[in-house]
Amino acid sequence: MQARFVAAAAVIIVLALAAGVHLFTTYDDYSRYNIQWNGTSSFFSLLEEHGAHEVERSADLSGYDDAVLLIIAPQGSPGAERVAAYRAFLARNNTVVLCDDFGSGNELLAAIGSDVTILPGNLTSVDRDYADGAAVKGYRAENHSLVDNVSSVLFNRPAALQGGTTLLQTSLLSWVDGNGNGRIDGDEVVGRYPICVSDEVGGGEVIVVGDPGIFLNAMSGIAGDNRQFIEDLLSLRPVLLVDQGWSRTSSAGALTGGVRLVKEYPLLQIAVAGLFIGAAAYFFRKRIIR
């Protein structure tokens, strides 16, 4: 009887652990909780090592100076409140690094008064390290603390940029593949295309990287200049901030989202703690009565 009880308990524990792993994990693109190739869990571990501060509410930016705010794969309209907070942040001579290809980046750039635009179309190049034409190399085009220590960076399906000062650009054998056939035809133009630019906005600096994919787990194994580029990015200012209120990286699994919600509201923490204490008291009371 006891052996069957132990075996049943072991099965229940294994099933609970498996369910927990599934519920605490998400497979959403760019999610920090996604440990698969399309997540950013490795990059967020690196952010923790650098002491990055998470910003969930745009109003929290008011307390930071000499800082860089990293926005990866923004999602949805930024809204008037967020735009105003970013403008005020830039006015204090801070830096915003926006990493986006075809998300909501253009709406923000226009709202804060930047001249930079993220262009549509698949940027393709003959100059690449892999068979996939979307694995495009960007070469240093201008002196800047972000690229002073790198000569080239491998990007994952980047978007071409327009406006600002070019920091990284493709080789001459590149084009925007409008029809996606992988060939140069029609009105597609071969040339150098910016994929990382800098723009002075409202007293601060906006850096646009046309590829949030460089932070994916699939890209984390690429060393050399890619690693140096990310290290330089994280060291641009003494204070490092990462946006978690307007980014696809904050997408979470069901239980993870619940835990984050509880952490955000003290009253919920008290309620959850009360439930656990009540359950424990009931369990031990039953044991004493028996």
Side-chain angles (χ1 to χ4, degrees), residues 34-67:
N34 182 353
I35 61 175
Q36 306 300 318
W37 70 270
N38 59 333
T40 54
S41 57
S42 296
F43 178 68
F44 270 83
S45 295
L46 184 62
L47 284 175
E48 290 180 7
E49 293 175 10
H50 280 73
H53 303 272
E54 296 181 10
V55 178
E56 296 187 1
R57 291 176 289 267
S58 55
D60 295 339
L61 289 172
S62 61
Y64 292 103
D65 293 295
D66 202 7

Side-chain angles (χ1 to χ4, degrees), residues 142-286:
E142 189 76 27
N143 291 327
H144 189 284
S145 55
L146 178 59
V147 295
D148 280 349
N149 299 316
V150 302
S151 58
S152 66
V153 178
L154 183 66
F155 289 87
N156 175 47
R157 299 184 181 277
L161 307 174
Q162 179 178 287
T165 300
T166 302
L167 304 183
L168 291 170
Q169 62 185 0
T170 66
S171 71
L172 188 60
L173 300 176
S174 307
W175 70 99
V176 176
D177 188 12
N179 55 21
N181 66 357
R183 298 192 300 271
I184 305 168
D185 50 20
D187 58 354
E188 296 169 359
V189 179
V190 176
R192 301 186 190 276
Y193 289 85
I195 46 182
C196 178
V197 303
S198 172
D199 190 21
E200 294 182 4
V201 178
E205 181 184 28
V206 175
I207 296 174
V208 183
V209 181
D211 179 25
I214 61 173
F215 303 107
L216 291 175
N217 294 334
M219 299 288 284
S220 64
I222 299 175
D225 284 356
N226 270 58
R227 181 66 58 85
Q228 186 62 56
F229 177 74
I230 289 178
E231 288 288 342
D232 290 346
L233 177 62
L234 301 184
S235 305
L236 277 175
R237 295 290 190 110
V239 180
L240 175 60
L241 310 173
V242 56
D243 190 294
Q244 287 295 274
W246 188 53
S247 169
R248 295 172 67 184
T249 60
S250 62
S251 176
L255 287 182
T256 302
V259 170
R260 292 184 65 194
L261 183 65
V262 169
K263 285 183 177 180
E264 188 173 351
Y265 297 99
L267 287 178
L268 275 178
Q269 295 178 29
I270 295 171
V272 171
L275 286 174
F276 276 105
I277 292 171
Y282 176 80
F283 174 78
F284 283 112
R285 181 173 178 276
K286 295 283 288 184

